[in-house]
Amino acid sequence: MINKHALFTRRSALVGGLGLSAAALAACTPGGAPASSNPSSSDGGGDGPITFWHYYGGVATAPIEALVKRYTDETGVEVDIRYVPFGDFNRTLLQAATGDGLPDIALVNAFDTALFADSGMLLDLSDRVAEWGQQDSYFAGPWATTQVGGATYGLPHVADTYALWTNKTALQEAGVQAPTTWAETEEAAIAASGDGSFGLVFSGINGVEGATAWLLRFLAAGGDITEFTGAAGTTAMESFQRLLQEGGVSEGVLTWNEDDTFTQFRSESAAMMINSASYLTSLADEAPDLELEVVPMPSDSTAVSWLSAENLTITNSASNPDAAWELLSWMQQPEVMNEYLPVRNKLPVRTDTAEDPQWQDPVKKVFVDQLEIAWAPEEAVAPASAEIFAAAQLAMQSVLSGSSTVDAALTELQQTTDDALGA
């Protein structure tokens, strides 16, 4: 059972670890700040531009900036958009909360929404959403990440899911077909390995990103993110251990991020890849002759994919919440998103957006369809999820590197999980 009081204490500890005292955190929560600390926030005033922080770096920066510029061109409303690197984003946002320096709008990781909402940093949008009346247009998974304590603290922006990418030629040469189950995936990966290439690649790098593939295997086995020492944990860990021992994957996965994984697949050094839709355009541009078939994530006792998503939030110190809401709701329009999403290689978060013909493309449709089964941590677990995911990667790494047994690795992972949840 999750101890919610202890979980809140863990959130406070996180903030304290970033150099923010409990008193400073209280100063950014509703009722915790003096009435004069931000006089414009209560009456919707503020004549300056809307301030908007995001963490989309690299090739993702230009599309979000172009989207915001389009809004300014259409409405005349100025928006001051700022990029903060992903690794620094949460820390920067939390620190800004103590000095009344929060932006009007913050684009946050969907799994972090509960953390920021419970810390009192986000505006409750429930009344605005109820008046707007479009909440039923969203896929259930992305929408659920905006809900904290029965209230709405954001609007989903974009989503992504994971699937199994296969090189049809490589699998045919190995005498196997694209797998549908994890047992078939192991067989296909081992059969398609040899001559310096591997059957399956995924990101297993240290940190949250490197946990995704193993957690997908764990969830497919019927796993519960709060309980790793049961049958599902053993099944998932032994599955990955077999893949390595029998040559289906390379030890290199422990050093590869998702870009590296894509490089291995694109160069035909791997027959299959676990990855998101983010690389579709790159593969088409860089390996046009590769015969691609994308299939749903393999199933075991259940079929499951992984939800990767971001939410648009309005902070509690927004100088003009009404103007911020107008921008957020404008960005949700299907005609706007269906121009923006293809440039980002991201998926729609709304079912009406997904009705556009472009999402009926056979490859894209695999990813979109998996929004119905894409997993995200529940509200009570989400604030601790990053800590749990990082520990899951360490457990997988210790087993695959041979430094720990399956039982010992899962026991240590369980202890970290219990501590993170205050269980």
Side-chain angles (χ1 to χ4, degrees):
M1 179 178 178
I2 297 171
N3 183 329
K4 292 189 177 181
H5 173 74
L7 183 55
F8 182 80
T9 302
R10 291 287 300 176
R11 295 172 192 148
S12 300
L14 169 63
V15 175
L18 296 176
L20 306 181
S21 67
L25 177 61
C28 70
T29 61
S36 61
S37 66
N38 189 1
S40 64
S41 64
S42 61
D43 60 12
D47 297 325
I50 299 170
T51 53
F52 184 137
W53 289 7
H54 69 94
Y55 52 76
Y56 289 159
V59 297
T61 302
I64 189 67
E65 291 182 348
L67 183 63
V68 168
K69 183 179 183 300
R70 175 181 168 183
Y71 181 73
T72 296
D73 291 343
E74 291 186 11
T75 66
V77 176
E78 294 293 331
V79 182
D80 181 6
I81 188 166
R82 176 187 173 190
Y83 162 68
V84 179
F86 178 76
D88 300 329
F89 191 86
N90 285 7
R91 177 186 296 271
T92 302
L93 203 62
L94 288 163
Q95 289 174 335
T98 68
D100 198 27
L102 285 169
D104 298 316
I105 295 172
L107 184 145
V108 302
N109 184 282
F111 297 174
D112 292 331
T113 305
L115 169 66
F116 293 127
D118 281 349
S119 297
M121 294 164 56
L122 304 181
L123 201 64
D124 182 347
L125 304 178
S126 301
D127 289 345
R128 295 175 189 271
V129 167
E131 182 179 357
W132 189 45
Q134 297 189 28
Q135 57 269 38
D136 291 340
S137 297
Y138 289 82
F139 285 103
W143 185 256
T145 67
T146 69
Q147 304 301 295
V148 183
T152 303
Y153 284 92
L155 294 180
H157 176 51
V158 298
D160 207 346
T161 61
Y162 283 66
L164 187 66
W165 302 54
T166 73
N167 181 327
K168 290 178 66 175
T169 302
L171 292 185
Q172 287 171 357
E173 290 176 351
V176 293
Q177 297 180 333
T180 60
T181 68
W182 270 101
E184 292 174 356
T185 300
E186 286 187 44
E187 295 172 3
I190 294 165
S193 296
D195 297 326
S197 64
F198 291 90
L200 176 67
V201 289
F202 54 85
S203 171
I205 195 170
N206 186 48
V208 173
E209 180 180 314
T212 304
W214 183 79
L215 286 169
L216 278 167
R217 179 66 184 97
F218 167 74
L219 292 166
D224 179 331
I225 202 71
T226 66
E227 178 54 65
F228 288 102
T229 53
T234 301
T235 296
M237 201 65 81
E238 289 181 348
S239 174
F240 272 38
Q241 190 177 49
R242 282 193 301 271
L243 279 166
L244 178 65
Q245 291 173 345
E246 299 187 34
V249 302
S250 165
E251 271 193 32
V253 298
L254 297 175
T255 65
W256 293 339
N257 60 26
E258 291 180 356
D259 287 346
D260 299 324
T261 300
F262 167 70
T263 298
Q264 294 289 324
F265 184 75
R266 180 205 65 202
S267 64
E268 301 190 53
S269 296
M272 298 182 292
M273 166 178 79
I274 296 173
N275 221 325
S276 74
S278 299
Y279 298 93
L280 287 173
T281 298
S282 296
L283 187 69
D285 292 343
E286 299 172 25
D289 296 329
L290 190 151
E291 195 172 1
L292 173 70
E293 181 181 8
V294 174
V295 297
M297 281 301 305
S299 64
D300 188 351
S301 65
T302 189
V304 64
S305 185
W306 185 273
L307 179 67
S308 176
E310 288 89 40
N311 293 332
L312 291 161
T313 67
I314 300 176
T315 72
N316 71 346
S317 60
S319 60
N320 193 334
D322 290 338
W325 172 257
E326 288 298 321
L327 172 55
L328 262 59
S329 55
W330 177 88
M331 292 174 71
Q332 303 303 301
Q333 299 175 92
E335 61 269 25
V336 172
M337 295 308 289
N338 274 325
E339 289 186 19
Y340 169 73
L341 290 167
V343 184
R344 288 293 324 281
N345 278 316
K346 295 298 182 182
L347 307 179
V349 290
R350 293 173 57 127
T351 56
D352 50 359
T353 304
E355 291 172 359
D356 190 82
Q358 67 176 302
W359 303 111
Q360 305 313 306
D361 169 85
V363 172
K364 290 182 179 179
K365 195 172 188 305
V366 171
F367 290 102
V368 173
D369 286 348
Q370 289 197 123
L371 283 167
E372 301 287 358
I373 59 168
W375 178 90
E378 295 180 356
E379 177 185 327
V381 178
S385 61
E387 187 174 355
I388 296 171
F389 297 164
Q393 187 281 334
L394 286 175
M396 177 190 69
Q397 178 178 302
S398 67
V399 170
L400 296 190
S401 66
S403 64
S404 178
T405 65
V406 169
D407 286 346
L410 291 174
T411 298
E412 185 170 351
L413 170 57
Q414 188 63 54
Q415 184 60 60
T416 301
T417 299
D418 290 344
D419 291 346
L421 295 174

